[in-house]
Amino acid sequence: MGIVQGDQMILNIGPQHPSTHGVLRLEVRTDGEIVSEIKPHLGYLHRCFEKHSENVTYEQVIPFTDRCDYLASMNSNFGYVVAMEELMEIKVPERVDYIRIIMGELNRIASHLLALGVYGLDIGAFTPFLYMFRDRERILDMFELTCGARLLYNYMWVGGVSHDLPKDFEKICIGFLDYFEPQIKEYNNLLTYNKIFIERTADVGVIPADVAVSYGVTGPNLRGSGVKWDVRKDEPYSIYDRFEFDIPVGEGQFGTLGDCFDRYWVRMLEISQSVKILRQALKDIPDGNVHQALPKKIRPPKGSVYRRTESPRGDLGYYIVSDGTPVPYRVKMRSPAFTALSCLDEVSRGWMISDVIAILGSLDIVLGEIDR
Amino acid sequence: MTSAEIKAVLEHQFPAAMVENEDLTEKQVELKGNQWLEIATFIKNDPDLSFDQLECITGYDTGEDGPLQTRYNLHSMEHRHKIEVVISHNRENPNVASIEQLWRIGDWFERETYDMFGIVYEGHRDLRRILCPDDWEGWPLRKDYEGQETYHGIVVQKMKEEEGWE
Amino acid sequence: MGVLENKFQDNVIVASLDKLLGWARSTSPWYFQFGLACCAIEMMASAASRHDLERIGMMPRSSPRQADVMIVAGTVTMKMALRVKKLYEQMADPKYVISMGSCATSGGPYWQHGYHVLKGVDLVVPVDVYVPGCPPRPEALIEGLLKLQEKIQTERPLTRKSA
């Protein structure tokens, strides 16, 4: 960090701090209240995902992908199985595709609810957190009904899913959506149009589009900067090309394009889009056997694949190399939160310390995925 | 552009840098390390290629005495095409030019690959370990890695194949 | 109560000071809001709506100096282990530790190849209650906290022999 000169001082935030969303340490060099440089220190949750993948069989990697992005485990599984199916050239039954999309989108809503609720908490609003957790619990109940787990599911397998949907799931899910849609309006009244919230987030921490692309920022953070890029639309995987939905992008309605508010607002709009996808999927879901395409032995041919999918945090990529044995030779996870965090230094320079918390919260990072 | 067309452009511009490797798929291209910064600058700025997004950098160990590799997944937001560049390094002294100033995300990706494989990216302004602690020993994702016994007095317990727990 | 029975008015309770202290200390242990990994999300879920930890007197504190209980929620890595120890040392006595989830208890799924994972937080700090599960459900965590309250209640701080 160099020599501390003049009135400068170094402030350590974390690794134990309620608003670093886990175990992240920020070494902040400040001049009074104004931040002049931030050095993030990672690795406090480095759990050796890639080393484990090289030592267990292909199907045993799936539980570890769960634990990487623990807020959106379904999407984590989804990325891995999509990459594996591309490597092995498996075609899954249509019902499986539909189930995966239903689960993926439900998990996206749950993840965004947590991200937005905790963001409110960071900014100083406690109530939205409780409201959003209330509705998130209902989604977790549906997951529990389907696969028995609340947080880490191990639900999607290569070539299928572990269990078929329970009886009446469609009815339960539609019932939830009917309940949930009016709640979005409630969140907006509670948090989005709150004067204090807008003051804290609008015009703060602007990420220009070219900087975002250069730093590999993806997902809602990139769309907040006005770039229309969504892997679900631009490189469709599974059967996302069948559904009709919009890609919300930031508009800078309360300040500059690409500020914290835009990133927040894109997530809020994405929740409604996920509801839209869910309704279509629940209407068209066909019957079928979900275990039909499960391979007896997972032994992919020699070769490598890089496939990315859209997780709630952005482009989640898996690089898998197979040497023809049942154990992967190399699995690399390209984590969206890792790339989003890397731009924190550049974005926060010149802002106050309290704004750093607002910027960090708006990036929606998950440390499990950053450190892997 | 398709991968074959991109390869043809590269071969035309940098004929000396191409390496034949039969193990790679058609989406991958292997290059020599000595011209890498020049090639990277070209493929980023050339209007027909314009690879503005660095998707991923993967370190790779080809096994016992084989070379280490760095694999770059590049994507163009403008033209929507992609290519994977592979560069091999010798095992004793793995080094290659850093592309950290071209794609800013290269900064952390290169630090991660350095941390896991010990590949040195020359010209990187802040090449430190990123995930493991600064005083960690060894390069964890190399195939010949042996974990350390203790770390600051804490025993790193290991499972031994036959004997069970230490 | 033997001799003391019926000697006082109805609203007076007679107890030994030792027991009284144990009772008072057990009913509101404030926990240290200290999330490490996946289990932290379940810890948050138990503090939020539906499960609501505050109804059993548990309130999150962000500073170790105000907390009585440290819930180690998640995987402890080598890099974090020394910090966990430091945080434990910063807490004021009496202090308790709950190891939540299999990672904190034994390394969990990372026990075999996790070169950077601490195989059990009890290698660096003493643990009072282990809560199994990966991750434990909020109900399981609440059960663990109630078990801890029972344990605190049986303690006799005044008659305890000093070491």
Side-chain angles (χ1 to χ4, degrees):
Chain A
M1 198 133 235
I3 304 159
V4 184
Q5 291 168 328
D7 289 338
Q8 290 187 331
M9 96 180 176
I10 291 189
L11 180 76
N12 250 314
I13 304 180
Q16 182 274 318
H17 190 277
S19 52
T20 50
H21 295 228
V23 278
L24 168 70
R25 181 155 77 91
L26 300 176
E27 201 177 320
V28 187
R29 190 194 185 90
T30 64
D31 185 359
E33 268 284 277
I34 309 294
V35 173
S36 52
E37 193 187 355
I38 294 186
K39 272 199 176 171
H41 292 260
L42 320 174
Y44 291 98
L45 193 54
H46 176 48
R47 296 189 283 192
C48 332
F49 164 70
E50 286 161 25
K51 193 75 181 174
H52 279 93
S53 312
E54 289 171 16
N55 286 295
V56 297
T57 58
Y58 282 99
E59 48 273 62
Q60 286 170 335
V61 176
I62 299 174
F64 288 107
T65 65
D66 269 337
R67 280 154 186 80
C68 279
D69 185 354
Y70 40 79
L71 291 184
S73 304
M74 287 286 186
N75 289 289
S76 259
N77 290 174
F78 204 171
Y80 179 74
V81 296
V82 165
M84 278 306 292
E85 279 155 15
E86 198 173 308
L87 187 64
M88 294 178 72
E89 292 170 2
I90 298 178
K91 178 98 184 65
V92 296
E94 217 170 49
R95 185 174 172 82
V96 171
D97 272 329
Y98 273 92
I99 293 177
R100 283 181 182 172
I101 281 181
I102 290 169
M103 290 302 154
E105 293 305 315
L106 277 175
N107 213 169
R108 191 185 307 277
I109 297 177
S111 168
H112 280 346
L113 281 180
L114 191 133
L116 301 177
V118 175
Y119 190 42
L121 206 60
D122 288 347
I123 301 287
F126 193 74
T127 320
F129 167 75
L130 295 174
Y131 278 54
M132 288 171 188
F133 256 73
R134 178 194 64 194
D135 298 337
R136 184 175 172 269
E137 288 285 336
R138 283 180 176 242
I139 300 178
L140 298 191
D141 283 350
M142 281 192 281
F143 289 147
E144 214 178 319
L145 204 63
T146 315
C147 61
R150 269 170 59 87
L151 196 68
L152 309 171
Y153 314 107
N154 187 15
Y155 181 60
M156 295 182 195
W157 290 355
V158 179
V161 290
S162 69
H163 303 74
D164 200 351
L165 290 180
K167 216 178 122 212
D168 286 342
F169 181 85
E170 287 88 340
K171 223 156 96 194
I172 296 167
C173 195
I174 292 214
F176 165 75
L177 295 178
D178 288 341
Y179 155 82
F180 179 67
E181 258 180 317
Q183 303 294 326
I184 298 175
K185 207 176 152 206
E186 198 182 51
Y187 306 147
N188 283 336
N189 291 338
L190 206 58
L191 190 60
T192 313
Y193 299 119
N194 185 320
K195 175 85 173 135
I196 304 169
F197 182 73
I198 293 174
E199 290 284 320
R200 284 291 307 272
T201 55
D203 259 336
V204 173
V206 179
I207 310 182
D210 57 328
V211 173
V213 172
S214 176
Y215 273 99
V217 176
T218 48
N221 299 327
L222 181 66
R223 293 193 281 278
S225 299
V227 182
K228 210 167 183 156
W229 167 260
D230 189 320
V231 182
R232 286 177 294 172
K233 272 264 198 254
D234 292 298
E235 287 175 8
Y237 55 96
S238 192
I239 49 164
Y240 268 112
D241 44 359
R242 287 190 202 174
F243 300 103
E244 205 181 296
F245 60 99
D246 303 325
I247 307 172
V249 289
E251 287 153 0
Q253 70 243 58
F254 291 108
T256 324
L257 180 69
D259 57 7
C260 290
F261 184 85
D262 276 344
R263 290 193 281 281
Y264 163 86
W265 185 231
V266 164
R267 288 199 180 88
M268 195 57 109
L269 294 176
E270 258 179 33
I271 292 180
S272 326
Q273 294 306 320
S274 293
V275 172
K276 206 166 148 187
I277 298 174
L278 278 170
R279 282 200 191 278
Q280 293 169 45
L282 287 166
K283 204 176 87 202
D284 302 337
I285 183 165
D287 286 332
N289 180 3
V290 294
H291 292 148
Q292 194 186 334
L294 284 182
K296 287 227 168 55
K297 224 180 213 166
I298 303 187
R299 202 184 269 259
K302 264 188 167 184
S304 68
V305 68
Y306 176 79
R307 176 74 228 187
R308 52 181 177 177
T309 55
E310 182 79 17
S311 96
R313 266 154 282 283
D315 296 7
L316 174 70
Y318 282 95
Y319 190 99
I320 303 171
V321 182
S322 157
D323 59 350
T325 57
V327 179
Y329 191 77
R330 173 95 170 91
V331 176
K332 154 98 189 178
M333 185 187 198
R334 181 246 190 246
S335 131
F338 182 80
T339 55
L341 185 63
S342 71
C343 75
L344 181 72
D345 177 31
E346 185 156 335
V347 173
S348 333
R349 287 186 187 195
W351 293 101
M352 297 214 186
I353 294 170
S354 56
D355 293 328
V356 172
I357 302 300
I359 295 167
L360 187 66
S362 76
L363 292 173
D364 182 22
I365 53 168
V366 170
L367 263 297
E369 191 188 31
I370 291 175
D371 296 342
R372 278 153 289 156
Chain B
M1 276 201 249
T2 60
S3 318
E5 284 168 340
I6 296 166
K7 266 189 225 174
V9 172
L10 283 175
E11 203 153 5
H12 178 69
Q13 286 285 337
F14 304 97
M18 308 296 281
V19 180
E20 288 287 320
N21 188 342
E22 284 175 2
D23 290 344
L24 301 179
T25 60
E26 71 270 17
K27 287 176 191 159
Q28 296 167 313
V29 55
E30 180 158 358
L31 301 174
K32 279 185 194 150
N34 49 7
Q35 267 185 301
W36 170 230
L37 188 62
E38 203 182 317
I39 299 171
T41 317
F42 169 74
I43 59 176
K44 185 179 180 233
N45 297 330
D46 185 71
D48 290 335
L49 297 174
S50 103
F51 284 106
D52 49 3
Q53 196 184 26
L54 177 61
E55 280 181 53
C56 186
I57 293 182
T58 309
Y60 186 77
D61 185 354
T62 49
E64 286 182 19
D65 293 318
L68 300 171
Q69 287 180 341
T70 312
R71 299 186 169 190
Y72 302 81
N73 288 85
L74 296 162
H75 174 252
S76 164
M77 294 285 253
E78 191 186 338
H79 303 298
R80 303 286 155 96
H81 56 219
K82 46 176 69 186
I83 190 81
E84 186 178 324
V85 175
V86 179
I87 292 175
S88 296
H89 321 288
N90 91 38
R91 204 178 182 81
E92 281 69 48
N93 181 23
N95 62 348
V96 70
S98 164
I99 43 86
E100 167 241 343
Q101 305 198 23
L102 284 173
W103 295 281
R104 291 295 295 120
I105 182 56
D107 182 353
W108 281 23
F109 276 149
E110 282 179 351
R111 274 177 69 190
E112 190 197 338
T113 315
Y114 165 74
D115 190 358
M116 292 294 141
F117 290 89
I119 299 170
V120 177
Y121 294 91
E122 281 171 2
H124 193 294
R125 288 172 290 186
D126 187 21
L127 196 65
R128 292 177 288 131
R129 282 187 182 269
I130 188 167
L131 296 179
C132 293
D134 289 334
D135 51 358
W136 197 255
E137 291 160 18
W139 313 109
L141 282 183
R142 284 196 189 184
K143 292 284 176 191
D144 54 5
Y145 173 70
E146 295 250 337
Q148 57 193 76
E149 302 281 304
T150 58
Y151 175 71
H152 283 256
I154 307 166
V155 181
V156 186
Q157 282 173 317
K158 270 185 294 186
M159 175 82 169
K160 293 243 170 104
E161 291 288 318
E162 287 129 35
E163 301 150 47
W165 285 96
E166 276 177 22
Chain C
M1 277 298 163
V3 269
L4 292 177
E5 215 162 346
N6 301 328
K7 299 267 175 175
F8 301 102
Q9 289 168 352
D10 284 352
N11 54 354
V12 175
I13 296 170
V14 181
S16 74
L17 186 58
D18 230 13
K19 270 189 183 171
L20 195 68
L21 278 176
W23 170 79
R25 275 181 11 184
S26 71
T27 40
S28 100
W30 290 357
Y31 67 95
F32 182 22
Q33 190 186 359
F34 175 45
L36 285 168
C38 332
C39 291
I41 306 299
E42 288 297 69
M43 189 173 81
M44 272 160 73
S46 22
S49 12
R50 187 178 293 187
H51 297 290
D52 190 14
L53 273 184
E54 274 182 49
R55 73 204 150 94
I56 56 166
M58 315 266 316
M59 188 173 159
R61 305 306 300 172
S62 300
S63 161
R65 307 198 191 273
Q66 299 166 345
D68 306 307
V69 184
M70 178 158 99
I71 303 179
V72 183
T75 319
V76 186
T77 59
M78 287 296 161
K79 206 172 176 178
M80 196 64 203
L82 300 172
R83 270 80 177 178
V84 171
K85 196 172 177 204
K86 202 171 276 176
L87 287 166
Y88 177 76
E89 281 160 3
Q90 284 174 349
M91 284 165 66
D93 270 326
K95 52 191 171 187
Y96 306 91
V97 177
I98 289 184
S99 151
M100 180 183 183
S102 33
C103 286
T105 305
S106 67
Y110 303 96
W111 63 279
Q112 197 176 2
H113 306 290
Y115 53 87
H116 192 246
V117 174
L118 186 70
K119 311 293 176 346
V121 73
D122 44 10
L123 290 172
V124 284
V125 294
V127 177
D128 292 281
V129 177
Y130 296 91
V131 183
C134 187
R137 302 172 56 87
E139 291 91 329
L141 177 63
I142 292 171
E143 172 71 18
L145 292 168
L146 291 174
K147 278 269 177 292
L148 180 73
Q149 293 195 349
E150 270 171 37
K151 182 180 171 174
I152 300 173
Q153 209 154 23
T154 56
E155 274 184 7
R156 298 285 169 264
L158 294 180
T159 47
R160 189 175 53 189
K161 289 192 180 68
S162 55

